[in-house]
Amino acid sequence: MEQLLNDYTLRTVTLGTAILGAVSGALGTFAVLRRQSLLGDAVSHAALPGIGLAFILTGSKASLVLMVGAGLAGWFATAIVLLITAGTRVKYDSALGLVLSVFFGAGLVVLTYIQRYPNANQAGLDSFLFGQAASLIVADVITMTILGGVALAALLLFWKEFKVLAFDPEFAHSLVLPVRWLDIGLTTLLVVAIVIGLQTVGVVLMSAMIIAPATAARQWTDHLGVMTLVSMVTGALCGVGGALLSTSISNLPTGPTIVVCATGFVVISMLFAPLRGIIWQRIRRTVQNRELRSESVLLDLFELARTHDDLTYPHMEPALRVIHPQRGTLYRQLRRLQGKGLVQMHQNGAWALTPDGVRVCDQLRKDRIG
Amino acid sequence: MNAVEVRDLTVAYRESPVLWDIDLDVAPGVLMAIVGPNGAGKTTLIKAILGLLKPAAGQIRILGKPYRRVASLMGYVPQRGTVDWDFPTSVLDVVLMGLYGRIGWVRRPGRSERREAMEALEKVEMTGLAHRQIRQLSGGQQQRVFLARALVQDARVYLMDEPLQGVDATTERAIIDILHSLRSSGKTVLAVHHDLQTVSSYFDEVLLLNVRRIASGPVSKVFTDTNLRLTYGGRIAIIKGAP
């Protein structure tokens, strides 16, 4: 195996997977924002019979031929989903599930049929199930580059139209944009993004390449352009990582390896991203809670002092503990407030507001009432 | 020539009519409230006028022409809840979207478009929040952003779906001032409105709607107890009243 993997193969594989990752990352951004990630899953599963039929009809395994077959089948599936939702009371998700499983089943039947085909050329089509990066040749990568390049160029060209389509399609209509055609166009680009990844990632898990990089990217930014770029880079890294791992370990299918890689990115982003990450939000909540607790101690001191005509009148800790029974917490809050110069401890151990503390209390009371 | 002219408009979802045989004339420069109970078809009427849904029957003419020829002369303020406010974009970006139709294909918004968007944000007193992520806005601020986006459309007829929904008193005042200044520059505004108390002080004309047109015209003439009872009294009342 090691000898098989000379640099040339590696370079081809790396380039191919980087391209597929970048393209699916870019189009995935829009699919995720338009809540169409499941459509990607349906399209990729539906591509399987298209691949089989394209092979039966042409006898060729050239990637362009198979991609066209896959693309047409994926497109056909999308159209059927739309017809079902428009013409019946079946809901969108049920229609997707239905089309996905029916097409996938048909695809498996076609593949089984091909395996009995009296033609030595048939071997390898089943690698489309879970993907096989090692099977990429230069011609495949060239096809992927051209198709992916066209898809990215179209995305860039119609960027603002696609953006308003994704955010507010009805408003896009009021701008006299051809919303239906834009929708068809963007969906077609999604189909292209899926199709160029099928040989490497496989039909079963290709949707992960649409969903995962975009989901990870959303965590890091609030800007659509930046999100698309981050998603492209993430997709490319996932693709390359998964493909290299699967080519260096024999019999490891590429699709699952890439998905494991992508899952890593998503988990890290969910946890550690600033602002949206779970850990960041946890920290912020803790800080807020602490802030709120010490504010309430401060205000209670204020309330107690108010009954004495002197807002800096000192009180012993037990008087405050009536309101704040937890001994440790109260003491910590008082120390924190002392550190900020808002309260001071008198010699007898009584606590009082400082003039600064009184000012802060006045402000807080105004904010809370107003 | 009327700004909006609706004849015999019927819209149906799966056989049951949502709007039934509506006639409506709105003169240019009029501020009209569309009033009626939930499910009366107010949003549907706005969407039909905008060409967002296909009527089962009837004609709609805007400034004397069929919709397709004058679509660019209409501005739209949708209900706040119709979009995902977690979408990765900024306030200024959303307002710029109002110019996307005019900018033309392929081109990107440039400095002059940005200036125009900022001016619209100034009118709704939101310049300070131009670069905010839209998730961080309050309900009233979201409403103002949508209004600013419609202002840059520079339309002749504005259709607004509950522009005052869930806004505080200050924002309500600000939005009404903007509507009045639109009127004084000759624009026509149709707005879905819920607060019956303020109809007569805010609007010139009113359309009372409950699937059928109950009444329409100047507020002083049309906005009567009898008509309101007909509008809100449920469909039974309407059937009784029908010949």
Side-chain angles (χ1 to χ4, degrees):
Chain A
M1 194 68 203
E2 282 296 317
Q3 284 143 341
L4 266 174
L5 293 169
N6 54 42
D7 276 356
Y8 189 68
T9 320
L10 262 185
R11 262 208 307 271
T12 313
V13 167
T14 314
L15 197 62
T17 49
I19 287 164
L20 93 85
V23 177
S24 57
L27 272 309
T29 303
F30 280 84
V32 165
L33 290 176
R34 298 174 78 206
R35 299 167 192 220
Q36 282 188 337
S37 14
L38 273 177
L39 181 70
D41 207 16
V43 167
S44 62
H45 278 77
L48 193 59
I51 293 166
L53 288 177
F55 174 71
I56 291 175
L57 288 176
T58 63
S60 156
K61 281 205 320 185
S63 56
L64 186 62
V65 172
L66 300 184
M67 281 182 195
V68 168
L72 288 177
W75 230 109
F76 187 53
T78 316
I80 292 182
V81 170
L82 289 180
L83 279 180
I84 292 178
T85 39
T88 69
R89 285 177 188 241
V90 177
K91 296 271 183 296
Y92 186 62
D93 57 337
S94 315
L96 280 176
L98 197 69
V99 167
L100 180 153
S101 42
V102 168
F103 271 73
F104 189 57
L108 290 177
V109 170
V110 173
L111 280 197
T112 320
Y113 173 75
I114 290 173
Q115 240 135 55
R116 303 215 194 98
Y117 224 52
N119 183 347
N121 198 19
Q122 96 274 24
L125 274 194
D126 52 344
S127 73
F128 271 94
L129 274 180
F130 292 109
Q132 197 53 268
S135 69
L136 280 182
I137 57 169
V138 176
D140 298 334
V141 175
I142 292 175
T143 315
M144 289 164 77
T145 311
I146 293 173
L147 282 176
V150 169
L152 288 183
L155 187 65
L156 201 64
L157 219 53
F158 301 116
W159 177 265
K160 72 176 193 302
E161 284 79 11
F162 286 147
K163 180 177 176 179
V164 65
L165 175 76
F167 177 63
D168 193 348
E170 293 194 333
F171 185 75
H173 180 100
S174 88
L175 294 170
V176 212
L177 293 174
V179 172
R180 177 180 290 261
W181 288 108
L182 286 171
D183 194 357
I184 292 174
L186 192 51
T187 309
T188 307
L189 296 185
L190 180 66
V191 171
V192 171
I194 289 169
V195 159
I196 62 175
L198 290 180
Q199 187 184 352
T200 318
V201 184
V203 298
V204 178
L205 292 168
M206 185 55 205
S207 63
M209 285 304 284
I210 297 292
I211 303 168
T215 309
R218 180 68 189 93
Q219 293 293 107
W220 299 93
T221 173
D222 275 332
H223 187 280
L224 182 63
V226 178
M227 177 182 168
T228 310
L229 277 178
V230 173
S231 179
M232 284 172 74
V233 172
T234 311
L237 287 176
C238 291
V240 171
L244 288 185
L245 266 177
S246 78
T247 11
S248 52
I249 303 166
S250 67
N251 286 330
L252 193 63
T254 317
T257 319
I258 287 182
V259 170
V260 170
C261 204
T263 310
F265 274 103
V266 171
V267 169
I268 289 171
S269 306
M270 291 277 188
L271 286 176
F272 300 109
L275 295 171
R276 297 176 80 93
I278 290 170
I279 289 180
W280 203 93
Q281 287 188 340
R282 178 69 47 91
I283 290 172
R284 192 173 55 173
R285 204 163 329 137
T286 314
V287 170
Q288 272 172 353
N289 281 347
R290 204 169 53 193
E291 212 60 44
L292 221 59
R293 267 201 302 271
S294 58
E295 271 177 20
S296 81
V297 171
L298 195 68
L299 286 172
D300 289 334
L301 263 177
F302 184 85
E303 284 303 323
L304 286 173
R306 243 162 38 128
T307 55
H308 298 277
D309 296 331
D310 170 17
L311 291 174
T312 57
Y313 191 89
H315 284 89
M316 297 300 281
E317 216 181 306
L320 281 164
R321 205 169 306 124
V322 175
I323 319 170
H324 300 274
Q326 280 169 304
R327 185 190 181 93
T329 317
L330 175 61
Y331 190 70
R332 259 203 314 277
Q333 300 307 342
L334 285 169
R335 282 286 177 200
R336 262 170 54 80
L337 292 167
Q338 188 181 30
K340 289 184 183 173
L342 301 180
V343 303
Q344 55 187 341
M345 191 164 70
H346 289 228
Q347 258 110 23
N348 56 1
W351 293 89
L353 293 171
T354 60
D356 272 349
V358 174
R359 258 193 303 282
V360 171
C361 280
D362 275 336
Q363 192 55 46
L364 280 174
R365 283 155 53 83
K366 240 179 264 164
D367 289 348
R368 288 192 180 183
I369 294 163
Chain B
M1 184 183 57
N2 281 320
V4 178
E5 204 175 290
V6 177
R7 285 285 165 275
D8 314 322
L9 177 74
T10 296
V11 180
Y13 290 129
R14 300 189 192 283
E15 263 91 273
S16 59
V18 184
L19 288 174
W20 189 15
D21 206 26
I22 303 287
D23 288 322
L24 178 67
D25 290 311
V26 188
V30 162
L31 212 56
M32 178 183 259
I34 302 175
V35 171
N38 293 330
K42 304 181 293 287
T43 299
T44 309
L45 177 63
I46 281 191
K47 287 189 176 176
I49 294 174
L50 279 163
L52 280 171
L53 43 84
K54 216 170 162 293
Q59 290 94 45
I60 296 164
R61 292 170 84 80
I62 308 298
L63 300 161
K65 297 198 180 69
Y67 169 79
R68 287 182 177 287
R69 309 250 305 273
V70 285
S72 58
L73 299 180
M74 283 197 278
Y76 181 34
V77 178
Q79 270 183 44
R80 212 154 28 91
T82 53
V83 304
D84 173 15
W85 288 97
D86 195 31
F87 196 87
T89 192
S90 68
V91 168
L92 183 64
D93 256 7
V94 172
V95 178
L96 277 170
M97 285 180 191
L99 294 164
Y100 280 9
R102 207 190 318 154
I103 291 174
W105 294 93
V106 181
R107 278 194 54 216
R108 296 290 165 86
R111 193 173 296 161
S112 68
E113 280 85 12
R114 237 165 262 280
R115 196 180 324 116
E116 219 173 312
M118 283 308 281
E119 279 165 19
L121 279 174
E122 204 178 318
K123 284 183 199 154
V124 298
E125 291 160 27
M126 288 271 294
T127 34
L129 301 176
H131 299 286
R132 275 282 170 88
Q133 151 69 19
I134 53 172
R135 184 187 49 246
Q136 300 167 356
L137 302 179
S138 70
Q141 290 167 341
Q142 292 175 351
Q143 207 65 266
R144 287 174 193 231
V145 173
F146 267 4
L147 193 62
R149 185 179 67 168
L151 288 178
V152 299
Q153 275 186 293
D154 195 25
R156 304 244 322 257
V157 177
Y158 281 100
L159 296 144
M160 308 189 178
D161 204 345
E162 303 196 31
L164 298 176
Q165 184 226 337
V167 306
D168 61 25
T170 333
T171 306
E172 178 159 331
R173 198 60 247 169
I175 291 178
I176 289 301
D177 286 346
I178 289 169
L179 297 195
H180 286 169
S181 76
L182 282 174
R183 174 183 56 188
S184 49
S185 53
K187 320 268 186 184
T188 312
V189 180
L190 274 72
V192 173
H193 190 58
H194 267 305
D195 184 7
L196 299 179
Q197 310 290 327
T198 51
V199 168
S200 48
S201 54
Y202 290 170
F203 295 91
D204 316 323
E205 297 197 6
V206 62
L207 162 67
L208 293 164
L209 188 72
N210 190 347
V211 183
R212 307 201 61 170
R213 189 196 67 169
I214 309 299
S216 65
V219 175
S220 54
K221 268 196 203 156
V222 172
F223 202 63
T224 61
D225 281 353
T226 328
N227 280 338
L228 277 174
R229 244 197 312 279
L230 278 173
T231 312
Y232 285 88
R235 292 178 192 194
I236 299 154
I238 303 160
I239 290 163
K240 266 187 205 154

